[in-house]
Each structure stands twice: as C-alpha cells, then as structure tokens.
Amino acid sequence: MANSNLNDLRKLHELLRDLKSVQDDLAKGPRLVRVKVQNTEQKQADLEAGKQDVKACKMLADQKTLQLKTLEAKLSELQGKLNQAVSNREYDILRGQMEADTMAKSVLEDEILETFEKIEAAQGRAKQLEADLATAKQEEAAMRAKVAAAEPGLIERKAQLELAVTAAEQFLPAEPKLQYRRLVTAHAADAMAEVTGNSCSACYVSLPSQTLVALRSGEILFCRTCGKLMYVGIQA
Ligand SMILES: [Zn+2]
C-alpha cells in the first residue's frame, strides 16, 4: 500500500505536468496568432501613412507648378509692357519687377525639382511598405494554419490526459483528494511538490525527519509552509 502510494503520487504529478504543458500549448496558439494580426495591422497603418505622404508631396508639386505658371504669365505680360514702355522711368520700374520675378521663378523651379525628388522617394517607401504588408499577411496566414493544424491533436491529448489524471487520482482518500483538487484548480501541476533532499521543492523549507519518514512510507501529506501535496521522488 505504502509503496504503491509513492508510485501513484509520482505518476499523478507527471500526468499533471503533461496536462499543464498541453494546456500551455493550446493557450499559446491564439496568442501567437494575435501577435501576427497586430503586426499586419501595424504594417497596414504604415502603408496608409506612406500613401498619404505620396499624396501630400504630389499636392505640393501641383501647387508649386500652378504658382510657376502664374509667374510665367506675369513675366510675359511684363515683357509686353516693357516692349511698349514710353519713358525710361517706366522701363526701369518694369525691368526691376521682371528681375525680381525671374529670381522668384528660379527659386520656384528649384523647389519643384526638389518636390519631384520627394515624390519619388515617398513612392519608393510606399512600395517597400506594400511589400512589408504582403509579407506580414503571409506570415499571419502561415501562423493561423500552423496553429489550426496543431489544435485538434492538442485538444485530443488534453482530453486523454484529463481522463488519465482522473484515473490516477483514484487512490487518494476522499478528504485529501478534496484539498488536492482545490490546489489543482488554483495551481495546476504546481499543486504537487516533490521532496528533494530533505526539503519541499516548492518552498525550500526543510522538513522534520518525522515528516520525511511518513512521506517515505507513502502517507499523503501537505506541506505546512506552502500547502502543496508532497511526495518523495525516486532518488529521495
Ligand atoms: Zn512547501
């Protein structure tokens, strides 16, 4: 009876650990998918911002091109007036205006060239962002497929382990079993603690020799410090 208890306790803890591991794997899948979904959403937002940037640069170029056309029309108008100038004074005033406008035109032309370069750079960035989004979507789909493929097997394994745990718990007398079940609900596999050396491996408190003897003889005992269901390992 005593030795059988020892083996049953060890086996029970092993099954609880396996069950915990499967539960963790099941919970991990949706988390991994969520991370990929968030990444796709971020890349989508980056691309939208990139497209807005291209749009803004193009609008600026259009505005400046319009300003240039207006300035060119004004210059040709001034040229016409200059050709018909009747006095030196009028001529000088018109020449002065034309010089200032020609200078402004040259500045505007440089600015337009700069804006075209900005458009090209923004278009390059947007193209890269589009490629990044496509990659993110592919990664998300691959993760969804991977998680979905693993899930049925994990669910089946979980059901098997739950049955095995229930079967493995049968040796526990009713009263300690209730306490043990409460611990499992709260701590899963950490409901149980192996005794390593002379200590409880959950809280590291040294156990009185009387307790160690009782544990080795297969008594069902909970740690007085951390409350876990204790058992002696094979080497202890
Ligand atoms: Zn303890």
Side-chain angles (χ1 to χ4, degrees):
M1 167 67 186
N3 264 337
S4 156
N5 263 4
L6 285 179
N7 287 331
D8 287 342
L9 284 161
R10 288 168 193 152
K11 190 182 155 204
L12 180 58
H13 199 195
E14 201 180 309
L15 286 168
L16 285 175
R17 281 179 175 142
D18 289 348
L19 179 59
K20 178 71 169 61
S21 157
V22 170
Q23 285 168 334
D24 287 349
D25 285 348
L26 266 171
K28 201 167 69 185
R31 273 207 307 275
L32 292 171
V33 169
R34 266 202 303 282
V35 168
K36 293 294 179 191
V37 168
Q38 280 165 0
N39 183 48
T40 304
E41 285 168 355
Q42 182 59 54
K43 294 285 188 277
Q44 183 76 57
D46 290 348
L47 176 59
E48 292 312 316
K51 282 178 174 172
Q52 283 302 316
D53 197 24
V54 172
K55 216 171 160 183
C57 288
K58 280 183 173 169
M59 271 175 70
L60 191 65
D62 287 349
Q63 276 171 16
K64 288 187 184 294
T65 305
L66 193 65
Q67 281 172 22
L68 182 65
K69 277 180 183 156
T70 310
L71 205 52
E72 278 168 350
K74 192 181 164 199
L75 270 166
S76 99
E77 193 189 319
L78 286 171
Q79 183 66 52
K81 282 183 183 170
L82 189 74
N83 293 341
Q84 291 161 14
V86 287
S87 70
N88 279 345
R89 186 176 151 68
E90 192 189 353
Y91 186 89
D92 287 345
I93 289 172
L94 287 166
R95 278 263 21 125
Q97 277 180 4
M98 283 184 75
E99 265 170 37
D101 285 345
T102 304
M103 182 68 78
K105 185 182 164 227
S106 161
V107 169
L108 204 49
E109 280 166 347
D110 286 348
E111 284 176 359
I112 288 170
L113 280 180
E114 243 172 66
T115 310
F116 283 155
E117 280 166 18
K118 279 184 187 161
I119 291 173
E120 217 170 298
Q123 280 171 334
R125 281 196 300 274
K127 207 173 170 187
Q128 181 58 51
L129 291 169
E130 217 157 313
D132 291 350
L133 175 61
T135 305
K137 279 181 176 170
Q138 275 171 10
E139 284 176 5
E140 182 189 323
M143 184 57 81
R144 280 186 194 281
K146 192 180 160 193
V147 168
E151 205 176 49
L154 287 170
I155 289 172
E156 197 189 326
R157 179 97 182 103
K158 182 174 167 246
Q160 285 168 354
L161 282 166
E162 278 165 350
L163 286 175
V165 165
T166 304
E169 285 167 351
Q170 292 311 310
F171 78 98
L172 285 169
E175 197 281 319
K177 192 172 173 183
L178 274 178
Q179 193 171 342
Y180 150 87
R181 279 308 323 171
R182 278 196 296 272
L183 285 168
V184 170
T185 302
H187 306 291
D190 289 337
M192 295 182 73
E194 189 181 335
V195 172
T196 48
N198 293 331
S199 312
C200 164
S201 65
C203 66
Y204 306 111
V205 160
S206 289
L207 302 164
S209 51
Q210 197 184 337
T211 306
L212 289 166
V213 169
L215 282 168
R216 286 192 185 112
S217 72
E219 260 188 65
I220 309 294
L221 291 176
F222 296 89
C223 175
R224 289 193 174 200
T225 309
C226 69
K228 306 284 169 77
L229 175 56
M230 294 186 291
Y231 68 98
V232 280
I234 308 244
Q235 306 92 333

